[in-house]
Amino acid sequence: MDFSRFTTISFDCYGTLIDWESGILPALRTVLANHDQSLPDATILELYGEFEAEAESGPYQSYRDVLQSVVRGFAGRLQFEATPAEIRSLHESIRAWPPFPDTIAALRELQKRYKLVVISNIDDDLFAETRNHLNVEFEAVITAQQARSYKPSINNFQLALRRLALSSDRLLHAAQSVYHDVVPARSLGIATVWVNRKSARPGIGAVRAPAGLASEKRPDLEVPDLASLAAAVSKPPKN
């Protein structure tokens, strides 16, 4: 990849910069255990991805409400009645979700060469809590609340391009989710990096599996983490 053509790198946040599985799994395991239920971690993530995508596909609602719908989805599927505190527990846990160990150092390295942007399916105030963990200044933060839509809608990416006054060929988008990020970004001519982080559900994580043609799902670059992307960017170009 010719990294010299990009001026800006955008990132999905949760699952890419933030280790959301370390927040999602304990919160949902606790809810399930309260009702004498248990599921393998991979199954929890698969159901999370299913319920989240269903909640995001209808008329816009806040991410708080999306995550409450996820908890209700588990309760409905497993036939128990979640308490109000349990319904709130998933979105209330976001403030404690940590960055991956390589996130901050990689962002600081990438910031030496590029403007950094976040494009995230989140509410503004929930991201403000996450931002305190990242210690990096972003050129822009585009949330689902601002776009009034959720990725994989191309609207979120189009809003980012407009706000940055940037052509699609100058933006590189890095994300863990092929479904939410790689497919829609590619459709707009945005180059993509799939950050294929380790997961209890390898290769997919806590998202819906992408449908469509294999060519639509193929990123321009695949890396196992952000440190690898920062290292790739730092390599001198081949002659």
Side-chain angles (χ1 to χ4, degrees), residues 53-195:
E54 287 174 357
E56 292 175 348
S57 64
Y60 173 78
Q61 57 182 322
S62 73
Y63 197 62
R64 268 185 176 77
D65 290 340
V66 167
L67 293 188
Q68 291 183 12
S69 294
V70 168
V71 179
R72 292 190 186 99
F74 276 90
R77 184 68 58 89
L78 298 176
Q79 299 184 324
F80 64 83
E81 185 171 348
T83 67
E86 288 168 344
I87 290 170
R88 295 192 305 271
S89 64
L90 192 53
H91 77 73
E92 288 178 348
S93 73
I94 289 177
R95 67 173 66 94
W97 294 1
F100 287 100
D102 67 322
T103 291
I104 295 173
L107 290 176
R108 287 176 174 168
E109 184 63 30
L110 291 166
Q111 198 168 41
K112 295 175 183 178
R113 298 166 181 257
Y114 304 100
K115 296 176 181 177
L116 305 185
V117 173
V118 167
I119 306 176
S120 178
N121 283 350
I122 196 67
D123 300 341
D124 289 341
D125 63 329
L126 293 179
F127 180 76
E129 295 178 342
T130 294
R131 195 169 195 160
N132 294 330
H133 297 300
L134 293 172
N135 299 314
V136 174
E137 286 301 315
F138 295 100
E139 184 74 12
V141 174
I142 310 299
T143 65
Q145 181 178 352
Q146 296 164 25
R148 310 298 290 180
S149 60
Y150 286 96
K151 299 177 297 179
S153 172
I154 62 172
N155 179 55
N156 302 56
F157 296 94
Q158 290 171 326
L159 175 59
L161 292 172
R162 289 196 303 271
R163 190 168 294 175
L164 296 164
L166 196 64
S167 60
S168 60
D169 62 314
R170 305 292 276 173
L171 177 65
L172 178 64
H173 185 66
Q176 176 269 336
S177 175
V178 174
Y179 168 75
H180 287 104
D181 292 89
V182 172
V183 172
R186 276 180 53 87
S187 74
L188 293 173
I190 298 170
T192 59
V193 177
W194 180 27
V195 185

Side-chain angles (χ1 to χ4, degrees), residues 173-237:
H173 185 66
Q176 176 269 336
S177 175
V178 174
Y179 168 75
H180 287 104
D181 292 89
V182 172
V183 172
R186 276 180 53 87
S187 74
L188 293 173
I190 298 170
T192 59
V193 177
W194 180 27
V195 185
N196 185 12
R197 289 194 180 272
K198 291 181 180 179
S199 170
R201 190 177 172 219
I204 301 175
V207 301
R208 176 173 282 178
L213 300 173
S215 60
E216 296 171 345
K217 297 181 281 187
R218 189 177 302 123
D220 296 275
L221 178 67
E222 177 183 343
V223 295
D225 50 39
L226 280 194
S228 299
L229 175 58
V233 165
S234 300
K235 285 182 181 178

